[in-house]
Amino acid sequence: MKFILCYVTKTDSHGGANIIKKLLEYLKQTHPDDLKVLRTIELLMRYHEWVPVDEIVRKVKMDEKDVLYRLKRLNKFEFVNRSRYGYRLSFGGYDALAMNAFIKKGLIKAIGGKLGVGKEGDVYNILLEDGREAVLKFHKHGRTCFTRGKRYRDYIVDKRHISWLYTSRLTAEREFEILNELFPIVKVPEPIEQNRHAIIMGKICGDELKRVDLEELGVDANKLFWDIIEEIKKSYELGYIHGDLSEFNILIDENGNFVIIDWPQAVNTCHPDAEFYLKRDIGNVVRYFKKYKIKEDVDKLYEYVTNKNKNEEDKNEWG
Ligand SMILES: Nc1ncnc2c1ncn2[C@@H]1O[C@H](COP(=O)(O)OP(=O)(O)OP(=O)(O)O)[C@@H](O)[C@H]1O
Ligand SMILES: [Mg+2]
Ligand SMILES: [Mg+2]
């Protein structure tokens, strides 16, 4: 296993460096056969909530003794959970498999601290092999439900665990696909790589719009407002509505350059509730900018964003 540096950055206010450091440390100690068994468990979780040992042995084509030895190690690394019914991949084990894939591809040189922790994922600073800074986002869809689920009966917890694995991968695939469709036409992070529930994307240097004072920054609020509307319009023309747009998902730097992040829930413009989502996005932007004395009508902006024919006519008129 290639050595991956772990560095702690100033922004690591979430203590995430320790978690990722432990994961990397464990990953470094793994043998290819450990990972082979782990991937087999991942595969068999499609059919079992807890994968029985004899199923693992049959699938992985190794001696039972060897498999038991590997399982013991995987359990020590906390990459699997164990019950009397068998084994299943843990959250950490899934992270490890994705991380291993990125490392094997020679993408990551170093991993830093946690940049942010959203409702649905953990975001880390990373350094790519080519020297660029980037971020690694692990989607942990349904994690909050899963934790809450602990109050309920075991079998519900188990089912949630499996759906967590599945939906977090789907969510990552969806976000990566959308970023690929939108970048670089719309101001979104550059999609770099995706594996399982994890995405590597370009790092945006900036703060959440929520946390900045535009007057202090010296940014023209009116111009910024219309620039954001233009991005909504461009993404609409490419077929997507963000669906969770707000001052939390717009990052802005000290020069007023901004990027819209967090796209997995985006809906297609042909979605039956497209109008609802688009109006809600626009409404959130309008609401945020009220404090800068910008008063625009959501319905009119909706017309502006969606009225393709009218825009074509305007363009033609203006030559
Ligand atoms: N490309 C990026 N560059 C820099 N910081 C980022 C990037 N992507 C995410 N972040 C940081 O991580 C935080 C969480 O990311 P994001 O909003 O994509 O995740 P989420 O889990 O979907 O969060 P939410 O709870 O908002 O749904 C962001 O608010 C931001 O601070
Ligand atoms: Mg977010
Ligand atoms: Mg989100």
Side-chain angles (χ1 to χ4, degrees):
M1 170 61 56
K2 193 171 144 291
F3 181 69
I4 299 289
L5 203 67
C6 198
Y7 64 94
V8 179
T9 53
K10 274 193 292 197
T11 48
D12 186 35
S13 51
H14 305 275
N18 288 337
I19 302 169
I20 205 85
K21 206 168 154 183
K22 197 165 119 188
L23 183 105
L24 283 173
E25 188 45 50
Y26 285 160
L27 201 52
K28 223 166 61 188
Q29 293 175 38
T30 54
H31 181 274
D33 281 349
D34 294 327
L35 293 172
K36 206 165 141 191
V37 171
L38 193 61
R39 275 193 297 267
T40 305
I41 296 172
E42 179 192 29
L43 207 77
L44 292 172
M45 277 180 65
R46 270 189 230 158
Y47 316 107
H48 304 272
E49 289 176 15
W50 294 96
V51 186
V53 174
D54 55 345
E55 286 283 318
I56 304 172
V57 172
R58 196 163 32 230
K59 186 86 189 163
V60 81
K61 297 190 180 72
M62 281 162 58
D63 278 353
E64 184 170 358
K65 200 165 81 352
D66 292 343
V67 171
L68 288 173
Y69 172 70
R70 297 296 159 200
L71 286 170
K72 209 169 140 197
R73 284 167 57 79
L74 290 170
N75 199 31
K76 188 184 90 187
F77 298 149
E78 297 167 24
F79 289 171
V80 292
N81 303 130
R82 191 175 60 173
S83 83
R84 63 196 169 103
Y85 304 111
Y87 289 81
R88 69 179 181 193
L89 206 62
S90 70
F91 294 94
Y94 206 38
D95 291 351
L97 284 176
M99 189 72 98
N100 182 58
F102 292 139
I103 295 171
K104 259 176 55 190
K105 274 200 160 177
L107 273 166
I108 304 178
K109 192 170 179 181
I111 300 192
K114 226 183 222 180
L115 245 182
V117 55
K119 285 189 294 294
E120 287 159 358
D122 299 336
V123 182
Y124 294 93
N125 275 302
I126 61 170
L127 199 61
L128 298 179
E129 273 295 343
D130 62 13
R132 271 190 303 162
E133 277 198 85
V135 304
L136 171 63
K137 177 174 172 180
F138 286 111
H139 281 271
K140 300 223 160 136
H141 201 267
R143 176 172 53 179
T144 36
C145 298
F146 176 59
T147 318
R148 258 186 254 131
K150 279 187 177 154
R151 274 193 267 130
Y152 304 116
R153 285 192 303 179
D154 270 349
Y155 76 90
I156 298 180
V157 177
D158 293 346
K159 285 220 162 61
R160 278 171 197 231
H161 188 120
I162 288 168
S163 75
W164 171 82
L165 281 178
Y166 182 65
T167 54
S168 44
R169 176 169 60 80
L170 283 188
T171 321
E173 281 170 2
R174 173 83 177 151
E175 181 161 35
F176 193 67
E177 178 193 312
I178 294 168
L179 292 180
N180 273 302
E181 295 282 332
L182 300 181
F183 183 85
I185 300 163
V186 182
K187 294 182 201 296
V188 299
E190 177 189 354
I192 297 171
E193 192 69 50
Q194 180 254 326
N195 186 278
R196 295 181 171 81
H197 61 320
I199 294 184
I200 297 180
M201 60 184 144
K203 180 176 174 177
I204 311 306
C205 294
D207 250 329
E208 289 162 16
L209 190 55
K210 166 78 188 167
R211 296 201 288 166
V212 301
D213 183 323
L214 295 179
E215 280 157 9
E216 253 175 44
L217 267 189
V219 169
D220 178 345
N222 190 55
K223 179 174 182 307
L224 179 64
F225 173 81
W226 283 103
D227 285 350
I228 292 172
I229 297 295
E230 278 314 310
E231 295 310 305
I232 297 177
K233 187 169 166 62
K234 277 193 280 174
S235 101
Y236 186 86
E237 281 161 8
L238 289 171
Y240 293 102
I241 296 163
H242 187 286
D244 189 24
L245 191 61
S246 74
E247 58 275 32
F248 293 95
N249 284 331
I250 300 174
L251 302 184
I252 182 164
D253 71 11
E254 65 268 26
N255 301 315
N257 301 316
F258 71 93
V259 173
I260 302 176
I261 60 161
D262 199 4
W263 288 84
Q265 69 291 317
V267 290
N268 293 74
T269 47
C270 55
H271 190 283
D273 296 325
E275 180 175 345
F276 166 79
Y277 288 115
L278 183 54
K279 282 189 175 165
R280 193 174 67 179
D281 279 357
I282 295 173
N284 285 341
V285 176
V286 167
R287 177 192 37 73
Y288 171 80
F289 277 94
K290 267 192 188 139
K291 65 178 170 190
Y292 295 107
K293 311 273 179 300
I294 294 163
K295 291 194 180 70
E296 292 292 339
D297 182 67
V298 174
D299 289 333
K300 276 195 194 143
L301 288 165
Y302 173 81
E303 278 300 306
Y304 172 69
V305 168
T306 56
N307 201 340
K308 270 199 204 137
N309 296 337
K310 174 77 168 54
N311 294 327
E312 287 303 314
E313 280 167 26
D314 284 353
K315 255 190 232 157
N316 292 339
E317 258 176 49
W318 292 335

